[in-house]
Amino acid sequence: MTITYDELKSFLESIGGLKCPKWRLDDSGEEFDTITDPYFFEIESGWYGLVKNMINEMIELGWDREIHQVKQKYATLRFYTGPASDALYKVIIMYQRLSAETCEVCGEPGEIRDSGWSVTLCDKHFEQRSV
């Protein structure tokens, strides 16, 4: 499922956002920042649908929505949370594996490509980056 930046933003707002621990307490005294902007995620839009589905599954399992980082590393999705149950880690691992088969740019089927930097791309986007 491919979704846009605005659709992911609306989804995050609809669930009350994700909680990211503040590295320093500011004057508000709050321990967490509320993340409702996909800009926080260090990924391209082709994986937005994976992230949305993963978040939904994790919330259904009782996840407290604490997030530390979301990024692409070694061509797969990395989703770092606070302490979590085995069931939550299984969901994270499943979506990490799915990301290895999903183009980071468009969300279509892709594969891991290594051209100095490992990425997961469909044929079309791999060819565009190779030019």
Side-chain angles (χ1 to χ4, degrees):
M1 169 175 81
T2 303
I3 65 172
T4 65
Y5 176 94
D6 289 335
E7 290 170 324
L8 183 56
K9 183 172 176 56
S10 291
F11 165 73
L12 292 170
E13 290 169 350
S14 76
I15 62 167
L18 303 178
K19 300 184 312 183
C20 182
K22 290 187 178 183
W23 301 112
R24 298 183 296 215
L25 289 180
D26 57 22
D27 292 338
S28 71
E30 297 292 322
E31 292 183 56
F32 294 94
D33 282 320
T34 301
I35 306 300
T36 57
D37 192 334
Y39 181 75
F40 173 82
F41 305 139
E42 301 169 49
I43 59 172
E44 294 196 52
S45 60
W47 286 352
Y48 284 173
L50 292 176
V51 168
K52 179 184 177 190
N53 292 342
M54 178 171 40
I55 290 169
N56 271 328
E57 287 188 39
M58 292 173 68
I59 288 172
E60 288 176 14
L61 291 170
W63 179 47
D64 65 1
R65 295 181 293 121
E66 183 177 329
I67 189 73
H68 293 204
Q69 187 177 33
V70 179
K71 66 180 183 177
Q72 184 267 48
K73 183 175 182 179
Y74 303 121
T76 59
L77 177 64
R78 302 304 167 103
F79 197 90
Y80 301 112
T81 68
S85 67
D86 288 346
L88 289 173
Y89 285 125
K90 285 180 183 177
V91 171
I92 293 168
I93 290 167
M94 180 183 75
Y95 279 94
Q96 182 178 343
R97 289 181 180 150
L98 286 172
S99 71
E101 304 169 351
T102 306
C103 179
E104 298 173 36
V105 177
C106 67
E108 293 297 317
E111 61 186 67
I112 295 176
R113 318 282 183 136
D114 192 0
S115 57
W117 186 266
S118 296
V119 292
T120 302
L121 299 171
C122 63
D123 291 338
K124 174 185 169 187
H125 288 108
F126 179 68
E127 290 171 16
Q128 287 177 353
R129 290 198 179 180
S130 297
V131 175

